[in-house]
């Protein structure tokens, strides 16, 4: 849970309380389901687990900060960019 707390604090740029961590942890599952519905069926290699986890922390931190639990176009673009930077380069593009 300490990694989750650290990610949440980094996303909010402030220390978080235990109640906020509990709320964010409960919201994480709902955010994950919303994200899965939004991106649809894609190969697992398309979106690395770390990119998905960071996107969920991004959404949950917005809710903890007073927002609404939803996946926006900006979240989807952010996920695509984060996933692209985490995927290894294609073998044909290596020198």
């Amino acid at each position: 849970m300490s990694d989750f707390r650290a990610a949440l604090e980094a996303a909010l740029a402030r220390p978080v309380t235990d109640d906020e961590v509990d709320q964010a942890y409960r919201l994480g599952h709902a955010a994950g389901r919303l994200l899965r519905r939004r991106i649809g069926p894609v190969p697992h290699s398309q979106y690395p687990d770390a990119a998905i986890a960071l996107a969920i922390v991004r959404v949950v931190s917005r809710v903890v900060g007073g927002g609404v639990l939803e996946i926006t176009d900006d979240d989807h673009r952010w996920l695509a960019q984060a996933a692209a930077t985490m995927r290894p380069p294609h073998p044909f593009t290596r020198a």
Side-chain angles (χ1 to χ4, degrees):
M1 182 92 106
S2 63
D3 290 340
F4 186 71
R5 177 186 286 275
L8 189 59
E9 287 177 347
L12 290 171
R14 65 172 174 85
V16 294
T17 65
D18 289 339
D19 291 336
E20 288 175 324
V21 172
D22 290 341
Q23 177 191 12
Y25 191 74
R26 286 191 309 271
L27 290 170
H29 297 289
R33 283 191 299 276
L34 285 174
L35 187 61
R36 186 178 18 210
R37 272 190 237 136
R38 176 66 184 253
I39 63 177
V42 295
H44 184 72
S45 62
Q46 185 71 22
Y47 294 108
D49 291 343
I52 296 288
L54 290 172
I56 289 172
V57 167
R58 176 185 162 97
V59 171
V60 167
S61 66
R62 188 173 54 240
V63 175
V64 170
V68 178
L69 182 60
E70 65 180 352
I71 306 298
T72 63
D73 289 339
D74 190 42
D75 294 327
H76 195 231
R77 280 190 297 273
W78 185 91
L79 173 61
Q81 182 178 5
T85 62
M86 293 179 184
R87 280 192 304 269
H90 194 276
F92 293 143
T93 61
R94 294 183 190 159

